[in-house]
Amino acid sequence: MKSALHNMNPSIKFISITICMLAMAFFFNPWTPLVCFAGVIMLQAFFSTISWKRWMLFMVPFAIMAFGYFWTTIVFAEERTGEVLWSVWNVDITESQFNHALSLSFRVLAFAGLSLLFALTTNPTTFIMSLMQQMKLSPKIAYSILVGYQFLPVMKDEFIQIQQAHRLRGANVEKNVIRRLFNLRRVLLPLLAGAVRKAERAAFAMEARGFTGEKRKSFYKVVVVSRKDWMMCSLFITILLIGCMFTLWDK
């Protein structure tokens, strides 16, 4: 059960999270996104093995963004109707301002939590294979994404190697940030040339192995949809419905 989210069918997980995000976009109260964010944390705690330290590091920029939405909405909101809750530096904060600020802040946290939950519990290769098998994604697009994804760590290693080669040949490391960015072209040009050659070789290799881009009826790695996937999907929908019930209760 601890790894249920990791083993969940990626397409079903993607659809469930997308439904939650789209539904939250139509609710302008603080309760629905708050309940969804709390539900995401509960799912993450009981059904995943995500490192909380890593998750908190990823959440730091989103928390800063949420705080920015909160105070800018309070200070610069056009709608100032409702009861005045308190005044700060001669600025009256009304109930409607406070609710809108909380709604935007919690919405940012909920969207970030759902996105991180998907990203940290989903294998990219399994996700692409699931899109081909369950969502009928074109193999041309799917395998193009997979090849590009496989190139990322290779390009990172080559970028470091080219930089080290330049230093061995006496290239000076500029202390000025602007000059350093300008000199990056010496690294990027051979890096892009190598990437083009690798992409060409990959295309020839796929063509030599009979890849035509047509839809396939059989796969080496089969991604199935099981009862556990629908149970996890129902948990996402249940959390969303509880948030909607809080909205009706608030009215």
Side-chain angles (χ1 to χ4, degrees):
M1 291 295 291
K2 194 64 178 175
S3 59
L5 280 171
H6 298 270
N7 298 328
M8 184 179 177
N9 184 282
S11 294
I12 304 298
K13 190 193 310 181
F14 177 75
I15 293 173
S16 304
I17 291 176
T18 303
I19 290 174
C20 292
M21 287 184 173
L22 291 177
M24 277 191 292
F26 293 96
F27 291 92
F28 299 96
N29 65 89
W31 296 109
T32 303
L34 176 60
V35 171
C36 288
F37 181 61
V40 166
I41 295 178
M42 290 180 60
L43 288 175
Q44 185 169 305
F46 292 104
F47 299 102
S48 76
T49 57
I50 297 174
S51 170
W52 287 100
K53 182 179 179 180
R54 184 185 180 193
W55 181 82
M56 291 176 68
L57 288 174
F58 279 123
M59 282 297 296
V60 167
F62 297 107
I64 296 173
M65 188 185 304
F67 178 74
Y69 273 112
F70 180 79
W71 79 267
T72 52
T73 304
I74 285 181
V75 175
F76 301 108
E78 294 184 359
E79 185 179 352
R80 299 179 182 272
T81 59
E83 180 184 356
V84 177
L85 300 178
W86 62 80
S87 298
V88 180
W89 296 327
N90 296 325
V91 177
D92 294 333
I93 300 175
T94 63
E95 185 178 1
S96 62
Q97 286 177 262
F98 188 67
N99 287 335
H100 288 165
L102 286 179
S103 176
L104 290 175
S105 300
F106 290 147
R107 190 174 298 183
V108 170
L109 294 177
F111 282 5
L114 287 168
S115 301
L116 287 177
L117 186 69
F118 179 81
L120 298 177
T121 61
T122 306
N123 182 283
T125 303
T126 307
F127 179 47
I128 297 298
M129 297 300 293
S130 176
L131 289 178
M132 276 198 297
Q133 297 176 32
Q134 273 80 52
M135 307 297 291
K136 307 304 179 183
L137 180 68
S138 172
K140 288 184 179 180
I141 300 175
Y143 283 105
S144 299
I145 296 174
L146 282 177
V147 171
Y149 179 76
Q150 296 295 331
F151 275 170
L152 291 178
V154 176
M155 293 183 67
K156 177 184 175 182
D157 294 338
E158 286 195 356
F159 181 81
I160 297 173
Q161 291 174 5
I162 294 172
Q163 279 188 324
Q164 292 175 347
H166 284 182
R167 291 173 185 173
L168 288 173
R169 287 169 174 79
N172 295 325
V173 179
E174 298 287 348
K175 295 183 179 180
N176 191 309
V177 177
I178 298 177
R179 289 183 178 178
R180 189 181 300 177
L181 291 174
F182 184 74
N183 289 335
L184 272 180
R185 71 184 190 279
R186 300 175 183 175
V187 180
L188 293 179
L189 288 177
L191 183 67
L192 291 175
V196 171
R197 288 194 295 269
K198 285 184 176 61
E200 190 175 9
R201 287 198 296 267
F204 287 149
M206 293 174 70
E207 187 177 358
R209 286 165 175 79
F211 179 77
T212 60
E214 298 178 356
K215 292 185 178 181
R216 303 175 61 181
K217 296 182 180 180
S218 60
F219 295 89
Y220 176 75
K221 182 179 181 180
V222 179
V223 182
V224 298
V225 180
S226 64
R227 185 181 301 177
K228 293 181 180 179
D229 298 325
W230 295 115
M231 290 175 62
M232 294 302 300
C233 178
S234 64
L235 283 178
F236 281 101
I237 303 302
T238 301
I239 292 171
L240 179 63
L241 292 177
I242 293 174
C244 297
M245 290 173 61
F246 270 91
T247 303
L248 297 176
W249 172 76
D250 186 48
K251 292 181 179 180

